[in-house]
Amino acid sequence: MLAITNLTVGYGRTDILRDLSVTFTPGHITGIIGPNGAGKSTLIKALLNLIKPRQGQILLNDTPVKSQLNQIAYVQQRADLDLSFPIDVEHVVLTGVYPQLKLFHEPTPAMHDAVTAAIDQVGLTDFKHRQFSALSGGQLQRVFVARALVQQAQVLILDEPFVGIDLASETQIMAILRELTAAGKTVIIVHHDLNKVTTYFDDLVILNHGVIAAGSTERVFTRSNIGQAFSEDLGKVLFIEEVNNG
Amino acid sequence: MASIQAFITGLSQYNFLQTALLTSIMVGVMSGIVGSFIILRGMSLMGDAISHSVLPGVALAYMLGINLVIGASVMGVLAAVLIGYIADRSALKNDTAIGIIFSAFFALGFILISLAESTTNLHHILFGNVLAVSDSDLKLTAWILAAVVLFVVLFFKELLISSFDPTFAQAYGLKTTFLHYGLMVVLTLVTVSALQTVGIILIVAMLITPAAVGFLWTNSLAKMMIIASSVGVVSAIVGLYFSYTWNLASGPAIVLVAAFIFAISFLLSPKRFGNRLFKGGVSDEA
């Protein structure tokens, strides 16, 4: 179980997240939603040990995450990458085993097999030797999901994975994530599209500089919580729509 | 051509020409390798800055009678640290920090060299004088080449992932800062060995231009480094030939040959042009 207790993080003099406590259940897909600037990216950076918390701790199975960073796989936003880098699909996926490799060690044959299997699982076998920059948005995202699979981590964090990708890729990625949670992994998705919240997430964390609400999606995804985190209006619009649809 | 024959005859007759050629070839190889990482990390300006910042180290080494490599490395790394410090601790952008530090270091080096009143010719440090390379310089260059190759071979996967996807590298606990400064040290070493072949001012051309040619022709980092090194070697040989035949300054001759190879590559690699266009708007079909 991934547990955050009393976490305070920030930059300079400002705290972005204050006294945040939340747990993520293995075998569940947890969505993190919140308005722009709510601290979603900051929370992820803290989970990945990319910024130092001012207070609080992050434990995975009762051990600090800091000491087991290779147990967290991270699929970042596509926009953050240098797409012109001279590397092919297979090699990008292969970098997923680097966290398990010590200095001066080369990937083993078993690792190469795992790479081939992961590429097959995301349906990109025909694109194995394709230059990275010659892929569509959806294909790129599947490459990074394949890399995360190869990492064989207990926790998988995806930052806005469905922005600007095709529906087929989105469906395929969700199916793979379901397989992972069925195998007991913890999956965390930072998400901005409130429409798919109820279909995608078992659990939900609604964030705005702290936890507004957290728990099973059914219980937490309510008009008042959304109203509190985003705005009254959004809460009204979103849930009136739902009533109409129903 | 008679002049090529004269160059080859010269090579067999004159020890200084052999030394010059060997040194230039080794510098071509190592600058191709290091330059590939420099351009992929978007650090071309940093490469220029570090090579210029080595000047006060060279001057101090002459004045104090210590090893050139030590003086140059200390100053090169100091400049890299200061640039990083200013960029991290203020709202100033990285290139502003680079501009301030490297011009200051270069100015300091200029003054120190004139104070040193040594027989060292400033012009030769700035633009190279490959025909005056001594046997001990040749040995030093060979050692540096070995060190550079060893560094890149040993840390290849770490250099690759920290260049390609620094967030991923940091997230699994890779010491990316350590690698950055390691690369800066390697860069100062390359600069030291290139002092006499192309000189401080033009070393950046040997780092960037051959690597850019490699980038245009391949989609694999390893191949890119091989192409870059080959372009570096060919430029060194052909440049030296022009330098010897028409009594031109060796550094600028080598750099111009590299630039010519780049120009041809740029015109003949429409594939990369297509990719570049593609990069701006990645399409979304499955």
Side-chain angles (χ1 to χ4, degrees), chain A:
Chain A
M1 162 122 39
L2 180 63
I4 302 176
T5 30
N6 304 115
L7 180 76
T8 300
V9 280
Y11 304 97
R13 290 204 189 95
T14 32
D15 292 341
I16 308 283
L17 296 169
R18 197 167 295 145
D19 201 26
L20 178 144
S21 297
V22 68
T23 56
F24 299 93
T25 315
H28 283 197
I29 299 184
T30 305
I32 299 180
I33 59 170
N36 286 333
K40 290 172 297 196
S41 312
T42 308
L43 178 59
I44 288 188
K45 280 186 187 151
L47 279 171
L48 296 168
N49 199 37
L50 294 178
I51 52 173
K52 229 182 172 173
R54 298 213 166 123
Q55 251 176 41
Q57 46 181 201
I58 305 171
L59 302 178
L60 178 62
N61 302 329
D62 305 320
T63 314
V65 155
K66 241 192 317 192
S67 63
Q68 39 179 345
L69 285 170
N70 60 1
Q71 284 307 324
I72 301 193
Y74 173 51
V75 176
Q76 62 191 306
Q77 292 188 38
R78 269 180 299 131
D80 299 344
L81 280 158
D82 174 14
L83 297 179
S84 70
F85 200 91
I87 190 168
D88 66 7
V89 168
E90 190 177 28
H91 204 155
V92 173
V93 178
L94 184 66
T95 63
V97 306
Y98 286 7
Q100 302 158 38
L101 289 173
K102 294 200 186 100
L103 274 181
F104 320 143
H105 283 67
E106 291 297 310
T108 63
M111 289 172 173
H112 282 286
D113 291 346
V115 167
T116 308
I119 293 173
D120 190 48
Q121 201 178 343
V122 299
L124 288 175
T125 302
D126 293 342
F127 296 86
K128 219 176 183 175
H129 300 297
R130 188 73 72 88
Q131 158 66 11
F132 183 59
S133 60
L135 299 178
S136 73
Q139 289 165 342
L140 273 175
Q141 201 61 276
R142 275 143 64 195
V143 171
F144 287 102
V145 169
R147 176 168 79 171
L149 291 174
V150 165
Q151 283 181 258
Q152 296 187 324
Q154 291 180 40
V155 180
L156 176 58
I157 304 175
L158 302 97
D159 193 359
E160 305 273 13
F162 305 127
V163 172
I165 75 170
D166 58 291
L167 196 62
S169 293
E170 183 167 336
T171 315
Q172 194 183 14
I173 289 171
M174 273 315 291
I176 290 170
L177 296 180
R178 287 273 171 226
E179 282 175 37
L180 286 176
T181 51
K185 310 271 187 190
T186 306
V187 174
I188 302 170
I189 301 179
V190 172
H191 197 63
H192 79 292
D193 181 1
L194 294 178
N195 286 314
K196 287 172 176 165
V197 163
T198 43
T199 40
Y200 280 180
F201 306 129
D202 306 312
D203 296 338
L204 196 63
V205 176
I206 303 177
L207 209 66
N208 200 354
H209 299 291
V211 175
I212 301 288
S216 75
T217 306
E218 254 172 71
R219 203 163 49 75
V220 166
F221 195 58
T222 62
R223 177 170 162 179
S224 80
N225 284 340
I226 294 299
Q228 204 187 332
F230 292 83
S231 71
E232 284 293 332
D233 293 342
L234 187 63
K236 275 182 208 160
V237 171
L238 203 67
F239 288 91
I240 285 168
E241 231 175 65
E242 212 166 65
V243 170
N244 288 346
N245 288 345

Side-chain angles (χ1 to χ4, degrees), chain B residues 241-259:
Chain B
Y241 157 72
F242 283 132
S243 170
Y244 178 79
T245 308
W246 287 302
N247 197 24
L248 304 170
S250 58
I254 292 172
V255 169
L256 282 180
V257 173

Side-chain angles (χ1 to χ4, degrees), chain B residues 156-219:
Chain B
F156 186 76
K157 66 178 192 296
E158 285 76 18
L159 286 167
L160 181 142
I161 193 64
S162 66
S163 306
F164 168 57
D165 195 346
T167 313
F168 177 82
Q170 277 176 297
Y172 80 78
L174 192 68
K175 302 273 175 281
T176 49
T177 313
F178 172 79
L179 275 174
H180 172 78
Y181 287 113
L183 201 57
M184 290 301 107
V185 171
V186 168
L187 192 58
T188 61
L189 293 179
V190 174
T191 306
V192 169
S193 51
L195 274 181
Q196 284 174 300
T197 59
V198 290
I200 279 182
I201 304 260
L202 292 174
I203 174 63
V204 67
M206 290 310 287
L207 288 168
I208 294 173
T209 312
V213 173
F215 181 84
L216 287 175
W217 287 110
T218 177
N219 290 328

